[in-house]
């Protein structure tokens, strides 16, 4: 028997030890139905998951039986496109084309309700039966397509962005699946930072596990930041040579993965069923890291695995805890006869095909001014002030002003699209706003919730983002914010950032904490920290500096709004209350900006003229 055969045999034996040998509970059949082709498709997904990823298969066995087929389909789909991108027997361009064809076929089949490919057949059925929005997976799958051409990461920030964009959408689909099954507490963690750092651990552990296979294909999916700490390590790895530099690198990286995967707050407040799954996942990660460290030079030749006894010690009590947790929770099962087609085409497909709509014209027919490109701001940030006073002046309760202000937001977005602004950031709710009357706070959050639910910008080329803390925000608002961010990520017209539960000093404090964290890990040299290092550790490092900061309502202060990004911003204050604003006010603000001289310490230059708003 060859080494490869021995490894395959070991994986299969381990998968048997790590999972129950019994067939899926009868309740899972109630979900799949009696269609032979569909049942065969789910069996295929189950078998692929069991053989390729025994640990993940074991985790799926901890979920209620009615949810397992959907989990098999999701996991098999993620593996299917990964396999296409990683098949180095074909050229990179052809691999990328195959992944794109897979994605296009899935989008088409979501409208027909069936597929001749077993993995897509099961995935389409899962999406339709459980009403999952697979458009949220589009960017993650496109990222895999681009992986076919190879990846290189200059630093940990770029590496994290890649890993999270790849993993988060798939894990969020599982969370949505639990929501659809009416599990009281979905797979949502206390803070996004904790969740994402845990997934960083998953990604880094996977990379270390698959190091031998990646190196054989000429891939090294580690950031230059990490490799630079151990000179010669990259060359030794390329030559498959175990050296002190490689040993030090592996020890360092496995330590980071262990730290990121050990999160005390990971399952705080979570339903005991999902909590058992997440805690077991963390235990399996640590066992895998133990195997990586113990592997030594063999890490460069074969993927390490925990011993069967170690896996059994983790999984046996986990099965008992999960079984008990699910007996206490009624799980909703969808009807056996699911819809025959998806309720809507994926939003990402519409964006890629150029079918997004233009903003509606101004009611009075006004058009934006023509601003020379060199005088156009890239980023306008707005403090939307005066809602409460606007309402009180009309004898209305303050919350009525916030309701009226929602129309001004839409108008401003329409104006930003028409004039060609790239970034618009709105100060929607500050960390200090919690001091207001509870009725007004609830009204503000209700307006935010309503706008996110109705999604009046759905057909526009707007990438929505959220900047702030989860903190006291209601869970449904946080989930809506993240959903809108995920589903519009591929749009390239206007980036609209909603600052909700945001404070500038809090942002700087969080950034300082992130720097301290990486200093402690040895990822940064304290004697050489620069402004660029600080900016890279901001919660939104890609956010450009603010060119124009505009405040309505007559007040003339910046109110703890984007202090880092707005350090050199032009300030513009207007007396109009926010509900009275329409797109022309934004155009006037941009026109005023274009007349100012942006010197940044240089000598002044003669001003130029622009065309006024028509």
């Amino acid at each position: 028997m060859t080494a490869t055969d021995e490894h395959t045999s070991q994986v299969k034996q381990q998968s048997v030890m790590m999972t129950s040998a019994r067939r899926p509970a009868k309740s899972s059949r109630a979900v799949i139905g009696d269609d032979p082709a569909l049942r065969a498709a789910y069996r295929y997904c189950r078998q692929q998951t069991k053989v390729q990823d025994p640990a993940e298969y074991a985790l799926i066995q901890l979920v209620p039986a009615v949810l397992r087929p959907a989990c098999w389909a999701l996991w098999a789909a993620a593996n299917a496109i990964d396999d296409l991108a990683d098949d180095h027997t074909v050229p990179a361009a052809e691999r990328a084309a195959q992944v794109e064809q897979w994605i296009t076929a899935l989008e088409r089949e979501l409208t027909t309700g069936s597929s001749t490919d077993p993995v897509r057949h099961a995935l389409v059925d899962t999406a339709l039966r459980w009403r999952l929005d697979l458009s949220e997976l589009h960017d993650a799958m496109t990222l895999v397509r681009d992986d076919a051409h190879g990846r290189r990461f200059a630093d940990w920030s770029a590496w994290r962005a890649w890993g999270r964009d790849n993993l988060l959408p798939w894990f969020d689909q599982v969370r949505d699946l639990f929501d659809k099954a009416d599990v009281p507490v979905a797979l949502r963690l206390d803070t996004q930072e904790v969740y994402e750092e845990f997934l960083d651990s998953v990604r880094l552990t996977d990379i270390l596990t698959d190091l031998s296979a990646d190196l054989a294909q000429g891939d090294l999916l580690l950031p230059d930041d990490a490799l630079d700490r151990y000179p010669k390590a990259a060359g030794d790895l390329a030559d498959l040579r175990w050296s002190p530099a490689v040993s030090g690198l592996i020890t360092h990286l496995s330590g980071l993965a262990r730290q990121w995967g050990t999160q005390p707050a990971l399952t705080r407040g979570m339903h005991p069923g999902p909590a058992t799954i997440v805690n077991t996942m963390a235990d399996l990660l640590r066992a895998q890291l133990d195997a990586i460290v113990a592997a030594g030079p063999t890490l460069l030749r074969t993927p390490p695995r925990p011993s069967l006894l170690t896996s059994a010690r983790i999984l046996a009590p986990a099965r008992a805890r999960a079984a008990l947790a699910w007996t206490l929770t009624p799980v909703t099962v969808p009807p056996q006869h699911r819809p025959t087609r998806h309720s809507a085409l994926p939003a990402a497909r519409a964006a890629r095909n150029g079918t997004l709509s233009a903003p509606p014209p101004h009611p009075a027919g006004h058009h934006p001014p023509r601003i020379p490109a060199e005088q156009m701001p890239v980023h306008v940030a707005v403090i939307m002030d005066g809602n409460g006073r606007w309402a009180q002046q009309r004898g209305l309760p303050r919350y009525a002003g916030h309701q009226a202000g929602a129309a001004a937001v839409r108008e401003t977005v329409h104006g930003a699209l028409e004039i060609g602004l790239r970034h618009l950031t709105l100060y929607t709710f500050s960390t200090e706003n919690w001091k207001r009357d509870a009725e007004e706070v609830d009204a503000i959050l209700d307006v935010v919730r309503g706008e996110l639910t109705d999604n009046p910008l759905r057909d526009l080329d707007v990438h929505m983002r959220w900047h702030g803390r989860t903190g006291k925000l209601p869970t449904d608002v946080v989930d809506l914010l993240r959903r809108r961010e995920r589903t519009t990520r591929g749009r390239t017209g206007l980036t609209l950032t909603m600052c909700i539960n945001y404070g500038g000093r809090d942002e700087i404090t969080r950034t300082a904490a992130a720097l301290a964290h990486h200093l402690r890990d040895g990822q940064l040299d304290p004697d050489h920290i620069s402004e660029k290092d600080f900016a890279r550790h901001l919660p939104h490092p890609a956010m450009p500096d603010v060119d124009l900061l505009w405040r309505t309502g007559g007040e003339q202060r910046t109110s703890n709004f984007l202090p880092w990004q707005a350090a050199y911003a032009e300030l513009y204050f207007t007396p109009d209350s926010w509900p009275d604003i329409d797109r022309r006010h934004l155009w006037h603000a941009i026109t005023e900006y274009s007349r100012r001289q942006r010197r940044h310490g240089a000598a002044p230059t003669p001003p130029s003229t622009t065309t006024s708003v028509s």
Side-chain angles (χ1 to χ4, degrees), residues 84 92 108 145 159 229 404 455 472 488 580 609 612:
L84 289 174
R108 182 179 63 251
R145 178 200 65 193
W159 182 89
R229 287 173 53 94
N455 197 15
K472 304 176 185 178
T488 61
D580 290 329
T609 60
S612 62

Side-chain angles (χ1 to χ4, degrees), residues 79 230 235 339 390 393 397 466 488 496 501 509 533 538 553 574 605:
N79 277 342
Y230 298 89
W390 179 92
Q393 290 167 3
W466 164 47
T488 61
L496 173 65
N501 198 24
T509 302
D533 291 318
L538 289 165
T574 57
T605 56

Side-chain angles (χ1 to χ4, degrees), residues 57-78:
Y57 181 81
L59 290 171
I60 293 173
Q61 293 301 95
L62 301 180
V63 310
V66 295
L67 299 180
R68 292 175 196 166
C71 292
W72 297 330
L74 286 165
W75 200 268

Side-chain angles (χ1 to χ4, degrees), residues 36-94:
L38 189 57
R39 292 183 61 78
Y42 276 112
R43 280 198 303 271
Y44 180 82
C45 292
R46 180 190 182 192
Q47 186 61 24
Q48 288 296 105
T49 303
K50 186 175 183 179
V51 172
Q52 293 183 357
D53 297 296
E56 286 75 11
Y57 181 81
L59 290 171
I60 293 173
Q61 293 301 95
L62 301 180
V63 310
V66 295
L67 299 180
R68 292 175 196 166
C71 292
W72 297 330
L74 286 165
W75 200 268
N79 277 342
I81 59 173
D82 277 342
D83 290 345
L84 289 174
D86 290 341
D87 183 6
H88 283 251
T89 62
V90 298
E94 185 177 341

Side-chain angles (χ1 to χ4, degrees), residues 11 37 71 117 186 253 257 281 317 330 354 419 446 458 476 523 525 531 587:
V11 169
C71 292
D117 178 88
L253 294 177
M281 186 176 183
I419 201 170
D446 281 343
R458 68 168 62 85
D476 64 324
Q523 298 180 39
D525 183 346
E531 288 186 11
W587 297 342

